[in-house]
Structures are given as structure tokens and as C-alpha cells.
């Protein structure tokens, strides 16, 4: 019997932020694919195997994480999405609320909050505490 | 439309959103392009939709997202020599992209006709102005070839098919594969590197050189392209991108000058050069998009 690790697509143009988030996700036993821009996020979704979760920043050059998620939903992708932002004004909150299966995670956040949200979304039991 | 939401060539009269299909213009992969009429405005359009008749839901989902990506890229470009995006939308299970319809043919078919070298260079230079406009907004087309250039009956020339286009600096090979058309593909693209405007210059020159191949194989002589033109194409297809023109506009300036002052020369054969890609006629179909493994591992 084989066990396939669940795959997470992580998009943020901040390499340090990607490193922190990646560490948390890998501690939860997840396989992480990084995208350094909204364009890369879009390409990964369009060209690679399906992901179990997308974790993305909002503000990125060329195309925002939220817009890519809107495009993915229009194309029929239904994976859960965690949208991170340091600029959570009312417009962004309403925008994320309008995307099925998307949750907002406001920066700055504690690692245990990211872990808790991820476990909740993917139904992972708490075995370790990444913080 | 059938019960699966698929479209077939014989489905003239099918409605997709507010468009009514009038006929097929072609297609490849999971995409198909129809001539259609906007039932609201009455205008004829080119309607690109994702054909999902493989029956694989996952593949269809990915193809729909690729079409939305193409529409997003095209929405950023407005130029008379680039096909105009009118609308992108969804209707039931179908994602569609409506574009201005160019009544005519594509450059691949156009080149089969009898044309002077000047006419060929003029059409390519016009398409090149569209490609330069693409570069101006920071996008790399990544699949410039004659079948992706439309030539209208009215003389209009439009660059189309932005399915592989990405912003410059993006587009690193995904999962070890690159997609494109091998015979026009720049070596750095084949190596899976990030997209650069210079790779479009390579493809443009490779395609133009092929378009002029009849003049080269005839050994030049009276009425053929001048040596200056072969040298320009020679430079644009250098293996090392740094040895090409710094921009497509610089190359287009040379083509303009050749058209203005060009005259036949005695010796028109381009010199062979080991540093240069060979871009002669290829038995492989021009329109075949290939998926090739990256030759160089990524760092």
C-alpha cells in the first residue's frame, strides 16, 4: 500500500515568506510546490497535476493571487484556497468571501495559526506543533 | 451542443453564450476556433473554445484554465497587428474567448502563393510590429510561426495564438518539459530557460528565412533579396542571444531599410556559420507543436 503525500501549491513573491510557510506546511507532512509569482501560480495550476490546497499571497506582479483563483474556479478547479494578505481591507475581504472554498489569512500571522487553518482545511489530525 | 457540453464541427447554429457558431476555422489539442456571429451586435467573430471531447475532466479543466490565461495575456495588448480580444467568458461547461475575425488565411498558407521577396518581407515586418508591441508590454509570444499570423483579404496582418505567451522572465520549464514548435524554437527556449524577448526574435528570423528559402535555394541572382537581408536574419538566429539584435525593433529598422534601399545582389547565399542554428525547410509540419524534454537540467 502506498501513501501519497498531499500536494500544496504555495505562491508568494516574497522568498522569505515562502520559506516560512513552506516550513510549516512540510512539518504537517505536505508536499510543497513553490511559485514565485502570480504568473507562475497560474502556470502551475494550468500545466501540472492537481493540488490539494493552494496557499497564495494576494499582491504579486502582473496578476494577483485572488485573480488567479477566480480564473481557476471559472475553469472548474475546486481545491480549497488559503489567501494571505497584509492588506485586508473590506474590498479584499468581500472578494475572498465571494470565492467558493477560499479563506483569508491576514498577515502577520503566527505559524501555529497557519498550521491550524491548514489542518482544518485538509482534515489533518494534530500530531506535531510546527511552532 | 451535445449532452456532454462538447462541440463538433458539424454543430453549426450552436449557441455559446450570445454567440452562434457558423463554422469551424480550425483547432488543435483541446482548443477549437469557430467563426461565429454575435447574436446581440450581429458582428462576426472568431470564437476559441475548449474542446472537451477527450472525456477527461481533469484535462478539460486544465485546458480551460490555459485558455483563460491566454485571454488574460491578450487583454493586455492592443495593437492593429495583434488580434483583438473582444470578450472572455463561460457558458455552461465551456470557456470561450471571442476575438476580432480576420477574413483571409494564415501566413503559412499565404507563403504557398507566388510572392516577391519584398512582399514577403513586408508582411513579416508588419507581423513583426505586432510582435514588438507584445514585447512593449513585457510579454514574450514564445510561438511565433507563420501559422500564427493571419493575413486578411484586405491586406491586414495580425499576430494570433497567445497560448504559450508569458511575461518576460517567467515561463521556466514546468516538470522538465518545454512546449513550442521545434523548427522555430530558440535554443534557450528549448533548454527550458525563462522567457526572453530575444527568443521571439530568433523564431521571427527563422520563419522569415524559411519564407524566403525559395530565393536562397535558387542561388540568388537578379531580383533576389540583398545580402543585407540575409545578414540580418543570420544575426537574429544566433545561438547566443547576446549576439542577436538588442530588440526586435532594431531588426525591424533593418528590414525597413532593406525594403527602402534593397536591390538584387550577385551573391545572396548566406554564409554558413557553426554558431548559428540551421533553420531550413523541415519535413515536420510547420503547425505541429512539440513537447520536448528539457535538454539541460535546471539549477
Amino acid at each position: 500500500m502506498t501513501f501519497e503525500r498531499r500536494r500544496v501549491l504555495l505562491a508568494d513573491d516574497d522568498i522569505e515568506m515562502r520559506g516560512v510557510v513552506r516550513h510549516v506546511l512540510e512539518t504537517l507532512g505536505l508536499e510543497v510546490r513553490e511559485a514565485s509569482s502570480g504568473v507562475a501560480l497560474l502556470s502551475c495550476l494550468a500545466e501540472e497535476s492537481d493540488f490539494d490546497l493552494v496557499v497564495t499571497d494576494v499582491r504579486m506582479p502582473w496578476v494577483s493571487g485572488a485573480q488567479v483563483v477566480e480564473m481557476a474556479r471559472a475553469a472548474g478547479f475546486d481545491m480549497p484556497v488559503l489567501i494571505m494578505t497584509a492588506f485586508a481591507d473590506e474590498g479584499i475581504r468581500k472578494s475572498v468571501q465571494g470565492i467558493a472554498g477560499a479563506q483569508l489569512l491576514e498577515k502577520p500571522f503566527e505559524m501555529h495559526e497557519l498550521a491550524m487553518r491548514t489542518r482544518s482545511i485538509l482534515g489533518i489530525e494534530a500530531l506535531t506543533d510546527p511552532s | 451542443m451535445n449532452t456532454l457540453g462538447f462541440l463538433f464541427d458539424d454543430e453549426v447554429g450552436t449557441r455559446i453564450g450570445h454567440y452562434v457558431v457558423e463554422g469551424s476555422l480550425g483547432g488543435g489539442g483541446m482548443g477549437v476556433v469557430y467563426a461565429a456571429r454575435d447574436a446581440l451586435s450581429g458582428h462576426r467573430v472568431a470564437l476559441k473554445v475548449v474542446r472537451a471531447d477527450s472525456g477527461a475532466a481533469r484535462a478539460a479543466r486544465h485546458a480551460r484554465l490555459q485558455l483563460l490565461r491566454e485571454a488574460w495575456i491578450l487583454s493586455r495588448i492592443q495593437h492593429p497587428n495583434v488580434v483583438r480580444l473582444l470578450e472572455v467568458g463561460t457558458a455552461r461547461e465551456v470557456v470561450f474567448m471571442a476575438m476580432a475575425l480576420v477574413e483571409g488565411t494564415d501566413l503559412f498558407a499565404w507563403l504557398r502563393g507566388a510572392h516577391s521577396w519584398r512582399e514577403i518581407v513586408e508582411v513579416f515586418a508588419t507581423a513583426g510590429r505586432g510582435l514588438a508591441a507584445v514585447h512593449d508590454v513585457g510579454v514574450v509570444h514564445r510561438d511565433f510561426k507563420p501559422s500564427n499570423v493571419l493575413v486578411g483579404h484586405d491586406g491586414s496582418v495580425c499576430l494570433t495564438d497567445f497560448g504559450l505567451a508569458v511575461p518576460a522572465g517567467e515561463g521556466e520549464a514546468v516538470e522538465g518539459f518545454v512546449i513550442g514548435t521545434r523548427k522555430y524554437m530558440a535554443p534557450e527556449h528549448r533548454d527550458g530557460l525563462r522567457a526572453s524577448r530575444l527568443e521571439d526574435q530568433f523564431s521571427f528570423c527563422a520563419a522569415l528565412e524559411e519564407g524566403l528559402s525559395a530565393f536562397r535555394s535558387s542561388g540568388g541572382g537578379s531580383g533576389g533579396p540583398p545580402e543585407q537581408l540575409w545578414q540580418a536574419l543570420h544575426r537574429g538566429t544566433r545561438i547566443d542571444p547576446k549576439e542577436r539584435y538588442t530588440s526586435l525593433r532594431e531588426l525591424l529598422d533593418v528590414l525597413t531599410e532593406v525594403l527602402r534601399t534593397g536591390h538584387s545582389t550577385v551573391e545572396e547565399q548566406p554564409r554558413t556559420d557553426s554558431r548559428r542554428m540551421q533553420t531550413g525547410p523541415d519535413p515536420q509540419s510547420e503547425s505541429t507543436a512539440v513537447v520536448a524534454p528539457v535538454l539541460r537540467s535546471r539549477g
Side-chain angles (χ1 to χ4, degrees):
Chain A
M1 182 174 148
T2 58
F3 174 73
E4 285 192 10
R5 295 170 73 194
R6 279 188 276 188
R7 303 177 71 230
V8 180
L9 178 55
L10 166 61
D12 199 312
D13 57 343
D14 182 337
I15 190 170
E16 290 186 12
M17 177 58 73
R18 286 205 312 275
V20 170
V21 173
R22 181 185 192 114
H23 169 73
V24 173
L25 297 174
E26 287 183 337
T27 304
L28 296 173
L30 302 169
E31 180 183 328
V32 179
R33 171 75 161 98
E34 288 187 29
S36 59
S37 67
V39 177
L41 170 63
L42 184 51
S43 294
C44 288
L45 284 171
E47 296 167 15
E48 297 191 18
S49 305
D50 286 347
F51 293 90
D52 299 291
L53 171 67
V54 169
V55 180
T56 179
D57 189 24
V58 173
R59 287 193 180 184
M60 289 184 282
W62 283 92
V63 59
S64 77
Q67 187 180 346
V68 172
V69 173
E70 293 273 17
M71 293 162 76
R73 287 287 186 264
F77 287 78
D78 60 1
M79 70 281 163
V81 179
L82 200 49
I83 297 178
M84 308 177 290
T85 183
F87 308 95
D89 59 19
E90 195 59 25
I92 287 179
R93 288 195 187 92
K94 285 189 174 177
S95 173
V96 173
Q97 284 172 2
I99 303 173
Q103 294 186 20
L104 190 66
L105 180 59
E106 295 186 30
K107 295 178 180 177
F109 51 79
E110 299 292 333
M111 285 197 288
H112 70 79
E113 185 183 358
L114 170 63
M116 183 185 68
R117 298 280 290 274
T118 304
R119 279 196 294 255
S120 171
I121 291 170
L122 294 177
I124 301 171
E125 291 184 14
L127 300 175
T128 56
D129 184 351
S131 62
Chain B
M1 191 176 297
N2 60 57
T3 55
L4 296 175
F6 307 155
L7 294 164
F8 298 109
D9 288 348
D10 59 356
E11 291 188 311
V12 172
T14 297
R15 289 186 77 102
I16 302 171
H18 53 94
Y19 299 97
V20 181
V21 171
E22 294 189 332
S24 175
L25 294 173
M30 297 187 73
V32 60
V33 184
Y34 293 102
R37 188 172 297 281
D38 183 341
L40 301 179
S41 71
H43 292 155
R44 295 191 79 212
V45 303
L47 196 66
K48 188 169 185 177
V49 305
V50 170
R51 185 169 56 199
D53 48 3
S54 70
R58 178 187 166 278
R61 195 164 58 236
H62 284 248
R64 285 194 292 266
L65 188 54
Q66 286 162 13
L67 184 62
L68 289 170
R69 178 178 60 180
E70 179 179 356
W72 167 72
I73 286 278
L74 194 52
S75 72
R76 309 181 73 91
I77 307 158
Q78 292 188 350
H79 190 273
N81 300 120
V82 176
V83 71
R84 186 160 50 96
L85 176 70
L86 301 174
E87 181 186 10
V88 57
T90 58
R92 298 182 189 175
E93 295 292 307
V94 177
V95 171
F96 65 84
M97 180 170 75
M99 297 167 286
L101 181 65
V102 177
E103 306 268 9
T105 186
D106 65 43
L107 183 51
F108 183 70
W110 184 87
L111 284 168
R112 291 181 186 149
H115 306 287
S116 70
W117 71 265
R118 283 181 176 277
E119 290 172 326
I120 292 170
V121 174
E122 280 171 359
V123 169
F124 267 89
T126 306
R129 286 193 280 278
L131 188 56
V134 173
H135 292 175
D136 287 346
V137 297
V139 170
V140 182
H141 187 278
R142 303 209 101 179
D143 200 20
F144 183 91
K145 57 184 178 182
S147 63
N148 284 339
V149 176
L150 304 175
V151 182
H153 295 314
D154 60 357
S156 60
V157 177
C158 271
L159 180 60
T160 187
D161 198 340
F162 286 73
L164 300 183
V166 291
E170 300 276 355
E172 196 171 12
V174 172
E175 294 187 338
F177 285 87
V178 293
I179 304 175
T181 307
R182 183 186 295 273
K183 65 190 294 193
Y184 306 109
M185 191 184 289
E188 65 270 24
H189 183 186
R190 199 173 294 182
D191 284 349
L193 302 184
R194 294 180 179 210
S196 156
R197 297 168 180 87
L198 295 175
E199 69 188 61
D200 279 347
Q201 182 186 139
F202 180 99
S203 303
F204 178 88
C205 289
L208 177 51
E209 183 170 10
E210 182 188 58
L212 294 168
S213 60
F215 297 95
R216 184 180 59 185
S217 58
S218 68
S222 178
E227 175 64 17
Q228 188 187 4
L229 178 56
W230 296 121
Q231 287 176 353
L233 301 180
H234 185 166
R235 183 171 168 187
T237 49
R238 291 278 187 170
I239 289 177
D240 184 351
K242 291 193 291 293
E243 294 182 2
R244 298 174 200 155
Y245 292 97
T246 55
S247 72
L248 191 64
R249 287 197 191 283
E250 188 182 353
L251 169 66
L252 294 176
D253 287 344
V254 174
L255 297 187
T256 301
E257 185 66 10
V258 165
L259 287 169
R260 192 177 69 82
T261 66
H263 50 80
S264 60
T265 57
V266 176
E267 178 53 68
E268 291 159 353
Q269 298 267 11
R271 289 186 296 271
T272 56
D273 188 325
S274 61
R275 292 171 299 175
R276 183 166 167 274
M277 293 292 285
Q278 297 302 309
T279 56
D282 189 320
Q284 183 184 14
S285 168
E286 180 276 345
S287 61
T288 304
V290 298
V291 179
V294 172
L295 304 176
R296 199 172 65 83
S297 61
R298 286 184 288 154

